[in-house]
Amino acid sequence: MNLSSAASDEPERGPAPYPQGDQPVPTFKQLRRAYGFDEVAIVPGTVTINPELTELGLDIGPHHFAIPFLASAMDAVVDPSFAIAMHKAGGLAVLNLEGVWTKYDDPGSILQEVASVSRDEATALLQHAYQQPIREDLIHRRIQEIKAGGAVAAVSVTPMNTKRWAPLIQEAGADILVVQSTVTTARHVSTSVEGLRFEKLVKEIHIPVVVGNTVGFEATLELMRTGVAAVLVGVGPGAACTSREVLGIGVPQVTATIDCAAARDYYFKESGRYVPIITDGGIRTGGDVCKCFAAGADGVMMGSPFAATTEAPGRGYHWGMATPHAHLPRGTRVAVGVNTTLQKLLFGPTSRTDGTENLVGALRTAMGMCGARTIKEFQKAEMVVAPAIKTEGKIYQFAQAGT
């Protein structure tokens, strides 16, 4: 069949592509490409250095952490004992002050029940369990338990509860306050006489305030201008989060990190104050960790990898911070198993070949291959769009997977 002869010689009868006469040319929403971890790669440097010569670390206010790793403020990840263990490892764990640890004297039975029910039953059970009110005495007790173990006490509340609990949190001896929700901005419109104003909060309390989450240049810049100590980056990438499915919002983590890093650098030039950004969520392997830093992160925050350690309280399960929401759950309980330790996850040694253990070693090795002695130098590493980075040449790995 001759395709050219099959085409009609008649002109198209649809609407003209643009209005005729003096009418303005229409404008169309433009979409830009955004990238996640599996779509990019880090380009090795022209100089290499030994991994042991690399310098890691993260500063939040006056607090220095030997490794730039944070554990998410999720009930199945962080309890006081985990916070102490994470501190001893050189990182920081954040305790959720709106979860079971401040609602129950002994949350063990609740955590066991969550682990024992079916996935379909888990969300309703969590919604019921989280209906209990937050107790002031337990806020004080949990903070003191962390402090008694010699750890930095970092605790998390949502913006809607910050004005109420911040003074008590400081009085109880907390070292860092994390104000966190799915999306947090410096300008929030509400029906209250005066909503939460971060510039006012950081003046009223004398501990560093970390705020999240955000994914954009402008929102991050505005948050930094309020005086916050660090910004969390990421909307919806976590294994237990369903915000992207429920709400349709989010930006893949590599692009989000690049955009927020640009805001940090712009603000530093504007003010002379360096505000670290922490990529939060969606991080599974050492490769993901390394791509966060190459994209511009100063630290990484993870949930699921830590939930799978023997030190975590979740009994092999993990759920998102918005899973128990009474009216619109935006998370689910996921089974991660208990298959590693905090030591092996962070430092090895490991026999795994999938990059899910010895994350600190992976970071040091990648930095060495890029000739980066410090995190700031690693942030300057070249990155390329590489959709075949995880599949090129891997035919035997795929064919033998699961055998």
Side-chain angles (χ1 to χ4, degrees):
M1 179 178 181
N2 188 331
L3 295 179
S4 61
S5 65
S8 172
D9 292 329
E10 292 293 320
E12 293 185 7
R13 299 300 183 184
Y18 299 104
Q20 304 298 307
D22 296 330
Q23 295 184 20
V25 175
T27 57
F28 302 90
K29 184 186 293 288
Q30 299 296 312
L31 305 183
R32 66 181 175 117
R33 186 72 165 86
Y35 299 99
F37 295 124
D38 292 348
E39 300 169 287
V40 301
I42 306 166
V43 179
T46 56
V47 176
T48 55
I49 64 175
N50 285 350
E52 66 269 19
L53 297 178
T54 58
E55 300 172 8
L56 307 181
L58 172 67
D59 295 312
I60 300 178
H63 305 287
H64 177 76
F65 304 97
I67 59 172
F69 287 77
L70 290 81
S72 301
M74 296 176 172
D75 285 348
V77 178
V78 179
D79 62 2
S81 64
F82 186 95
I84 294 168
M86 188 68 179
H87 175 82
K88 292 178 179 178
L92 177 67
V94 183
L95 182 72
N96 177 18
L97 288 186
E98 297 185 20
V100 297
W101 302 103
T102 56
K103 297 174 183 285
Y104 299 91
D105 287 292
D106 181 9
S109 60
I110 296 294
L111 294 173
Q112 183 59 46
E113 191 174 1
V114 173
S116 63
V117 300
S118 70
R119 182 178 179 179
D120 292 338
E121 298 172 307
T123 299
L125 174 61
L126 287 166
Q127 288 174 315
H128 177 74
Y130 279 65
Q131 287 178 357
Q132 293 296 316
I134 299 170
R135 289 168 44 184
E136 291 188 14
D137 63 311
L138 287 179
I139 290 178
H140 189 277
R141 185 194 304 179
R142 301 309 181 205
I143 292 173
Q144 286 303 306
E145 287 172 351
I146 297 173
K147 301 280 286 185
V152 173
V155 296
S156 173
V157 292
T158 57
M160 66 179 294
N161 287 321
T162 299
K163 291 171 66 176
R164 176 182 180 186
W165 296 119
L168 176 63
I169 289 168
Q170 177 175 255
E171 181 182 332
D175 298 298
I176 297 174
L177 172 62
V178 179
V179 182
Q180 190 170 15
S181 65
T182 304
V183 175
T184 303
T185 63
R187 292 178 290 152
H188 177 70
V189 179
S190 70
T191 56
S192 62
V193 176
E194 182 182 44
L196 175 62
R197 293 172 51 200
F198 289 112
E199 64 272 19
K200 185 175 181 180
L201 175 67
V202 298
K203 292 178 181 178
E204 292 178 344
I205 66 173
H206 308 294
I207 58 177
V209 177
V210 177
V211 177
N213 283 35
T214 183
V215 291
F217 177 93
E218 192 68 31
T220 302
L221 181 61
E222 290 187 8
L223 284 172
M224 290 179 174
R225 285 171 172 165
T226 67
V228 300
V231 175
L232 299 175
V233 177
V235 173
C241 182
T242 61
S243 290
R244 292 179 177 179
E245 292 82 1
V246 175
L247 305 177
I249 64 170
V251 174
Q253 284 291 62
V254 171
T255 294
T257 301
I258 289 172
D259 290 354
C260 295
R264 174 203 59 211
D265 296 342
Y266 184 94
Y267 179 68
F268 179 68
K269 292 177 181 178
E270 175 184 88
S271 68
R273 190 172 73 94
Y274 190 89
V275 181
I277 64 167
I278 300 163
T279 303
D280 173 22
I283 301 163
R284 307 149 300 172
T285 66
D288 295 345
V289 168
C290 296
K291 291 173 187 179
C292 288
F293 288 101
D298 298 286
V300 292
M301 175 176 270
M302 304 183 302
S304 298
F306 287 120
T309 64
T310 56
E311 292 86 352
R315 294 157 173 77
Y317 288 90
H318 175 46
W319 52 91
M321 297 173 68
T323 302
H325 193 283
H327 305 293
L328 189 64
R330 299 185 300 280
T332 185
R333 188 201 67 178
V334 295
V336 296
V338 180
N339 52 44
T340 190
T341 66
L342 188 58
Q343 171 68 30
K344 291 181 69 176
L345 175 67
L346 291 173
F347 305 107
T350 182
S351 297
R352 295 184 184 176
T353 59
D354 60 0
T356 55
E357 287 183 336
N358 197 1
L359 303 182
V360 174
L363 176 58
R364 288 190 183 276
T365 301
M367 290 173 65
M369 291 180 176
C370 292
R373 186 180 292 269
T374 66
I375 293 294
K376 284 185 173 59
E377 290 179 2
F378 193 37
Q379 292 169 349
K380 299 176 183 178
E382 181 184 358
M383 301 185 78
V384 294
V385 177
I389 189 65
K390 296 184 69 174
T391 58
E392 184 179 42
K394 311 303 182 193
I395 183 171
Y396 291 111
Q397 293 184 30
F398 294 138
Q400 298 168 23
T403 62

Coordinates of all heavy atoms in Angstrom, one line a residue, residues 178-247:
V178 N 12.8 19.8 65.2 CA 12.5 19.6 63.8 C 11.0 19.8 63.6 O 10.2 19.2 64.2 CB 12.9 18.1 63.3 CG1 12.5 17.9 61.8 CG2 14.4 17.9 63.5
V179 N 10.7 20.8 62.7 CA 9.3 21.1 62.4 C 9.1 20.5 61.0 O 9.6 20.9 60.0 CB 9.0 22.6 62.4 CG1 7.5 22.8 62.1 CG2 9.4 23.2 63.8
Q180 N 8.2 19.5 60.9 CA 8.1 18.7 59.7 C 6.7 18.3 59.3 O 5.9 17.9 60.2 CB 9.0 17.4 59.9 CG 9.2 16.6 58.6 CD 10.2 15.5 58.8 OE1 10.6 15.2 59.9 NE2 10.7 14.9 57.7
S181 N 6.4 18.5 58.1 CA 5.1 18.0 57.5 C 5.4 17.7 56.0 O 6.5 17.8 55.5 CB 4.0 19.1 57.6 OG 4.3 20.2 56.8
T182 N 4.3 17.2 55.4 CA 4.5 16.8 54.0 C 5.1 17.9 53.1 O 6.1 17.7 52.4 CB 3.2 16.3 53.4 OG1 2.6 15.3 54.1 CG2 3.4 15.8 51.9
V183 N 4.5 19.1 53.3 CA 5.1 20.3 52.6 C 5.0 21.4 53.7 O 4.0 21.7 54.3 CB 4.2 20.7 51.4 CG1 4.7 22.0 50.8 CG2 4.3 19.6 50.3
T184 N 6.1 22.1 53.8 CA 6.2 23.2 54.8 C 6.8 24.5 54.0 O 7.8 24.4 53.3 CB 7.1 22.9 56.0 OG1 6.6 21.7 56.6 CG2 7.1 24.1 57.0
T185 N 6.1 25.6 54.3 CA 6.6 26.8 53.6 C 6.7 27.9 54.7 O 6.2 27.8 55.8 CB 5.6 27.3 52.6 OG1 4.3 27.6 53.2 CG2 5.4 26.3 51.5
A186 N 7.4 29.0 54.3 CA 7.5 30.1 55.2 C 6.3 31.0 55.3 O 6.1 31.8 56.2 CB 8.7 31.0 54.8
R187 N 5.4 30.8 54.3 CA 4.2 31.6 54.2 C 3.0 30.6 54.1 O 2.7 30.1 53.1 CB 4.2 32.5 53.0 CG 5.2 33.6 53.1 CD 5.2 34.5 51.8 NE 5.7 33.8 50.7 CZ 5.4 34.0 49.4 NH1 4.4 34.9 49.1 NH2 5.9 33.3 48.4
H188 N 2.3 30.5 55.2 CA 1.2 29.6 55.3 C -0.1 30.4 55.7 O -0.1 31.1 56.7 CB 1.4 28.5 56.3 CG 0.2 27.5 56.4 ND1 -0.2 26.7 55.4 CD2 -0.7 27.4 57.5 CE1 -1.2 26.0 55.8 NE2 -1.6 26.4 57.1
V189 N -1.1 30.3 54.9 CA -2.4 31.0 55.1 C -3.3 30.1 55.9 O -3.6 28.9 55.5 CB -3.0 31.5 53.8 CG1 -4.3 32.2 54.1 CG2 -2.1 32.3 53.0
S190 N -3.8 30.5 57.0 CA -4.8 29.7 57.8 C -5.8 30.6 58.4 O -5.8 31.9 58.2 CB -4.0 29.0 58.9 OG -3.5 29.9 59.9
T191 N -6.7 30.1 59.2 CA -7.8 30.8 59.8 C -7.4 31.3 61.2 O -8.1 32.1 61.8 CB -9.1 29.9 60.0 OG1 -8.7 28.8 60.7 CG2 -9.6 29.6 58.6
S192 N -6.2 30.9 61.7 CA -5.8 31.4 63.0 C -5.4 32.9 62.9 O -5.0 33.4 61.9 CB -4.6 30.6 63.5 OG -3.5 30.7 62.6
V193 N -5.4 33.5 64.1 CA -5.1 35.0 64.1 C -3.7 35.2 63.6 O -3.4 36.1 62.9 CB -5.3 35.5 65.6 CG1 -4.8 37.0 65.6 CG2 -6.7 35.4 66.0
E194 N -2.8 34.3 64.1 CA -1.4 34.3 63.7 C -0.9 32.9 63.6 O -0.8 32.2 64.6 CB -0.5 35.1 64.6 CG 1.0 35.2 64.2 CD 1.9 36.0 65.1 OE1 1.7 35.8 66.4 OE2 2.7 36.8 64.7
G195 N -0.5 32.5 62.4 CA 0.0 31.2 62.2 C 1.4 31.0 62.6 O 2.0 32.0 63.2
L196 N 2.0 29.9 62.4 CA 3.4 29.7 62.8 C 4.3 30.5 61.9 O 4.3 30.4 60.7 CB 3.7 28.2 62.6 CG 5.2 27.8 62.9 CD1 5.6 28.1 64.3 CD2 5.4 26.3 62.5
R197 N 5.1 31.3 62.5 CA 6.1 32.2 61.9 C 7.5 31.7 62.3 O 7.9 31.9 63.5 CB 5.9 33.6 62.2 CG 4.6 34.2 61.6 CD 4.3 35.6 62.1 NE 5.5 36.5 61.9 CZ 5.7 37.6 62.6 NH1 4.8 38.0 63.5 NH2 6.8 38.3 62.3
F198 N 8.2 31.2 61.4 CA 9.5 30.6 61.7 C 10.5 31.7 62.2 O 11.3 31.4 63.1 CB 10.1 29.8 60.6 CG 9.4 28.6 60.3 CD1 8.7 28.4 59.1 CD2 9.4 27.5 61.2 CE1 8.0 27.2 58.9 CE2 8.7 26.3 60.9 CZ 8.0 26.2 59.8
E199 N 10.5 32.9 61.6 CA 11.4 33.9 62.1 C 11.1 34.3 63.5 O 12.0 34.7 64.3 CB 11.2 35.2 61.2 CG 9.9 35.9 61.2 CD 8.9 35.3 60.2 OE1 9.1 34.2 59.7 OE2 7.9 36.0 59.9
K200 N 9.9 34.2 64.0 CA 9.5 34.4 65.4 C 9.9 33.2 66.2 O 10.4 33.4 67.4 CB 8.0 34.7 65.5 CG 7.6 35.1 66.9 CD 6.1 35.5 66.9 CE 5.7 35.9 68.3 NZ 4.2 36.3 68.3
L201 N 9.7 32.0 65.7 CA 10.0 30.8 66.5 C 11.5 30.8 66.8 O 11.9 30.5 68.0 CB 9.6 29.6 65.7 CG 10.0 28.2 66.3 CD1 9.2 28.0 67.6 CD2 9.7 27.1 65.3
V202 N 12.4 31.0 65.8 CA 13.8 30.9 66.1 C 14.3 31.9 67.0 O 15.4 31.8 67.6 CB 14.6 30.9 64.7 CG1 14.2 29.8 63.8 CG2 14.4 32.3 64.0
K203 N 13.6 33.0 67.2 CA 14.0 34.0 68.2 C 13.5 33.7 69.6 O 14.1 34.0 70.6 CB 13.5 35.4 67.8 CG 14.1 36.0 66.5 CD 13.5 37.3 66.2 CE 14.2 37.9 64.9 NZ 13.5 39.2 64.5
E204 N 12.4 32.9 69.7 CA 11.8 32.6 71.0 C 12.4 31.4 71.6 O 12.4 31.3 72.9 CB 10.3 32.4 70.8 CG 9.5 33.7 70.4 CD 8.0 33.4 70.2 OE1 7.7 32.2 70.1 OE2 7.3 34.4 70.2
I205 N 12.9 30.5 70.9 CA 13.6 29.3 71.5 C 15.1 29.4 71.1 O 15.5 30.0 70.0 CB 13.0 28.0 71.1 CG1 13.2 27.7 69.6 CG2 11.5 28.0 71.4 CD1 12.7 26.4 69.2
H206 N 15.9 28.8 71.9 CA 17.3 29.0 71.7 C 18.0 27.7 71.3 O 19.2 27.4 71.7 CB 17.9 29.5 73.0 CG 17.3 30.7 73.5 ND1 17.3 31.9 72.8 CD2 16.5 31.0 74.6 CE1 16.6 32.9 73.5 NE2 16.1 32.3 74.5
I207 N 17.3 26.8 70.6 CA 17.9 25.6 70.0 C 17.7 25.7 68.5 O 16.8 26.3 68.0 CB 17.3 24.4 70.6 CG1 15.7 24.3 70.4 CG2 17.6 24.2 72.1 CD1 15.1 23.1 70.9
P208 N 18.5 25.0 67.7 CA 18.4 25.0 66.3 C 17.1 24.5 65.8 O 16.6 23.5 66.4 CB 19.6 24.1 65.8 CG 20.5 24.1 66.9 CD 19.7 24.2 68.2
V209 N 16.5 25.1 64.8 CA 15.2 24.6 64.3 C 15.5 24.2 62.8 O 15.9 24.9 62.0 CB 14.2 25.8 64.2 CG1 12.9 25.3 63.6 CG2 13.9 26.3 65.7
V210 N 15.1 22.9 62.6 CA 15.2 22.3 61.3 C 13.8 22.2 60.7 O 12.9 21.8 61.4 CB 15.9 20.9 61.3 CG1 15.9 20.2 60.0 CG2 17.3 21.0 61.9
V211 N 13.6 22.6 59.4 CA 12.3 22.6 58.9 C 12.2 21.8 57.6 O 13.1 21.8 56.8 CB 11.9 24.1 58.6 CG1 10.5 24.2 57.9 CG2 11.9 24.9 59.9
G212 N 11.1 21.2 57.4 CA 10.8 20.4 56.1 C 9.4 20.1 56.0 O 8.6 20.3 57.0
N213 N 8.9 19.6 54.9 CA 9.8 19.3 53.8 C 9.5 20.3 52.6 O 8.4 20.8 52.5 CB 9.6 17.9 53.3 CG 10.4 16.9 54.3 OD1 10.4 17.1 55.5 ND2 10.9 15.9 53.7
T214 N 10.4 20.4 51.7 CA 10.3 21.3 50.6 C 11.0 20.6 49.4 O 11.8 19.7 49.6 CB 10.8 22.7 50.9 OG1 10.6 23.5 49.7 CG2 12.3 22.6 51.2
V215 N 10.8 21.2 48.2 CA 11.4 20.6 47.0 C 11.9 21.7 46.0 O 12.5 21.4 45.0 CB 10.5 19.6 46.2 CG1 10.4 18.3 47.0 CG2 9.2 20.2 45.9
G216 N 11.6 23.0 46.3 CA 11.8 24.0 45.3 C 12.7 25.1 45.7 O 13.0 25.3 46.9
F217 N 13.3 25.8 44.8 CA 14.2 26.9 45.0 C 13.6 28.0 45.9 O 14.1 28.4 46.9 CB 14.7 27.5 43.7 CG 15.6 28.6 43.8 CD1 17.0 28.5 43.8 CD2 15.1 29.9 43.9 CE1 17.9 29.5 44.0 CE2 16.0 31.0 44.0 CZ 17.4 30.8 44.1
E218 N 12.5 28.6 45.4 CA 11.9 29.7 46.1 C 11.5 29.4 47.5 O 11.7 30.2 48.4 CB 10.7 30.3 45.3 CG 10.2 31.6 45.7 CD 11.3 32.7 45.4 OE1 12.0 32.6 44.5 OE2 11.3 33.7 46.2
A219 N 10.8 28.3 47.7 CA 10.3 27.9 49.0 C 11.5 27.7 50.0 O 11.4 28.1 51.1 CB 9.4 26.6 48.9
T220 N 12.5 27.0 49.5 CA 13.7 26.8 50.3 C 14.4 28.1 50.7 O 14.8 28.3 51.9 CB 14.7 25.9 49.6 OG1 14.0 24.6 49.2 CG2 15.9 25.6 50.4
L221 N 14.5 29.0 49.7 CA 15.2 30.3 50.0 C 14.4 31.1 51.0 O 15.0 31.6 52.0 CB 15.3 31.1 48.7 CG 15.9 32.5 48.8 CD1 17.4 32.3 49.3 CD2 15.9 33.2 47.4
E222 N 13.1 31.1 50.9 CA 12.3 31.8 51.9 C 12.4 31.2 53.3 O 12.4 31.9 54.3 CB 10.8 31.8 51.4 CG 10.6 32.7 50.2 CD 9.1 32.8 49.9 OE1 8.3 32.4 50.7 OE2 8.8 33.4 48.8
L223 N 12.4 29.9 53.4 CA 12.6 29.2 54.7 C 14.0 29.6 55.3 O 14.1 29.9 56.5 CB 12.5 27.7 54.6 CG 11.1 27.2 54.4 CD1 11.2 25.7 54.1 CD2 10.3 27.4 55.7
M224 N 15.0 29.6 54.5 CA 16.3 30.0 55.0 C 16.4 31.4 55.5 O 17.1 31.7 56.5 CB 17.4 29.7 53.9 CG 17.6 28.2 53.6 SD 18.8 28.0 52.3 CE 18.9 26.2 52.4
R225 N 15.7 32.3 54.9 CA 15.7 33.7 55.3 C 15.0 33.9 56.6 O 15.1 35.0 57.2 CB 15.0 34.5 54.2 CG 15.9 34.7 52.9 CD 15.1 35.4 51.8 NE 16.0 35.8 50.7 CZ 15.5 36.1 49.5 NH1 14.2 36.1 49.2 NH2 16.4 36.4 48.5
T226 N 14.2 32.9 57.1 CA 13.6 33.0 58.4 C 14.6 32.7 59.5 O 14.2 33.0 60.7 CB 12.4 32.1 58.5 OG1 12.8 30.7 58.5 CG2 11.4 32.4 57.4
G227 N 15.7 32.2 59.2 CA 16.7 31.9 60.3 C 16.8 30.4 60.7 O 17.5 30.1 61.7
V228 N 16.1 29.5 60.0 CA 16.2 28.1 60.4 C 17.6 27.6 60.2 O 18.4 28.1 59.4 CB 15.2 27.3 59.6 CG1 13.8 27.8 59.8 CG2 15.5 27.3 58.1
A229 N 17.9 26.5 60.9 CA 19.2 25.9 60.9 C 19.5 24.9 59.8 O 20.7 24.7 59.5 CB 19.5 25.2 62.3
A230 N 18.5 24.3 59.3 CA 18.6 23.3 58.2 C 17.3 23.1 57.5 O 16.2 23.4 58.1 CB 19.2 22.0 58.7
V231 N 17.3 22.6 56.3 CA 16.1 22.4 55.6 C 16.0 20.9 55.1 O 17.0 20.4 54.5 CB 15.9 23.3 54.4 CG1 14.7 23.0 53.5 CG2 15.8 24.8 54.9
L232 N 14.9 20.2 55.2 CA 14.7 18.9 54.7 C 14.1 18.9 53.4 O 13.1 19.7 53.1 CB 13.8 18.1 55.7 CG 14.3 17.9 57.1 CD1 13.2 17.2 58.0 CD2 15.6 17.1 57.2
V233 N 14.6 18.1 52.4 CA 14.2 18.1 51.0 C 13.6 16.8 50.7 O 14.2 15.7 50.9 CB 15.5 18.4 50.1 CG1 15.0 18.3 48.7 CG2 16.1 19.7 50.5
G234 N 12.4 16.8 50.1 CA 11.7 15.6 49.6 C 10.3 15.6 50.0 O 9.9 15.8 51.1
V235 N 9.5 15.4 49.0 CA 8.0 15.2 49.1 C 7.6 13.9 48.5 O 7.5 13.8 47.3 CB 7.3 16.4 48.5 CG1 5.7 16.2 48.6 CG2 7.6 17.7 49.3
G236 N 7.2 13.0 49.3 CA 6.6 11.7 48.8 C 7.5 10.6 48.3 O 7.0 9.6 47.8
P237 N 8.8 10.6 48.4 CA 9.6 9.5 47.8 C 9.8 8.3 48.7 O 10.2 7.3 48.3 CB 11.0 10.2 47.6 CG 11.1 11.2 48.7 CD 9.7 11.7 48.9
G238 N 9.4 8.5 50.0 CA 9.7 7.4 51.0 C 8.9 6.1 50.7 O 7.9 6.1 50.1
A239 N 9.5 5.0 51.1 CA 8.9 3.7 50.8 C 7.6 3.5 51.4 O 6.7 2.8 50.9 CB 9.9 2.6 51.3
A240 N 7.3 4.2 52.6 CA 6.1 4.0 53.3 C 5.1 5.2 53.0 O 4.0 5.3 53.6 CB 6.3 3.9 54.8
C241 N 5.5 6.1 52.2 CA 4.7 7.3 51.9 C 3.9 7.2 50.6 O 4.4 6.6 49.6 CB 5.6 8.6 51.8 SG 4.7 10.1 51.5
T242 N 2.7 7.6 50.7 CA 1.8 7.5 49.5 C 1.3 8.9 49.1 O 0.3 9.0 48.3 CB 0.6 6.6 49.7 OG1 -0.2 7.1 50.8 CG2 1.0 5.2 50.0
S243 N 2.0 10.0 49.5 CA 1.5 11.3 49.1 C 1.5 11.5 47.6 O 0.6 12.2 47.1 CB 2.5 12.4 49.8 OG 2.3 12.4 51.2
R244 N 2.4 10.9 46.9 CA 2.4 11.1 45.4 C 1.2 10.5 44.8 O 0.7 11.0 43.8 CB 3.7 10.6 44.9 CG 5.0 11.4 45.3 CD 6.3 10.9 44.7 NE 7.4 11.7 45.1 CZ 8.6 11.5 44.7 NH1 8.9 10.4 44.0 NH2 9.6 12.3 45.1
E245 N 0.8 9.3 45.4 CA -0.4 8.6 44.8 C -1.7 9.3 45.3 O -2.6 9.5 44.5 CB -0.4 7.2 45.3 CG 0.7 6.3 44.7 CD 2.0 6.4 45.4 OE1 2.1 7.2 46.4 OE2 3.0 5.8 45.0
V246 N -1.7 9.8 46.5 CA -2.9 10.4 47.0 C -3.1 11.8 46.6 O -4.3 12.2 46.2 CB -2.9 10.3 48.6 CG1 -4.2 11.0 49.2 CG2 -2.9 8.9 49.1
L247 N -2.1 12.6 46.5 CA -2.2 14.0 46.2 C -1.6 14.4 44.9 O -1.9 15.5 44.4 CB -1.4 14.8 47.3 CG -1.9 14.6 48.7 CD1 -1.0 15.4 49.7 CD2 -3.3 14.9 48.9

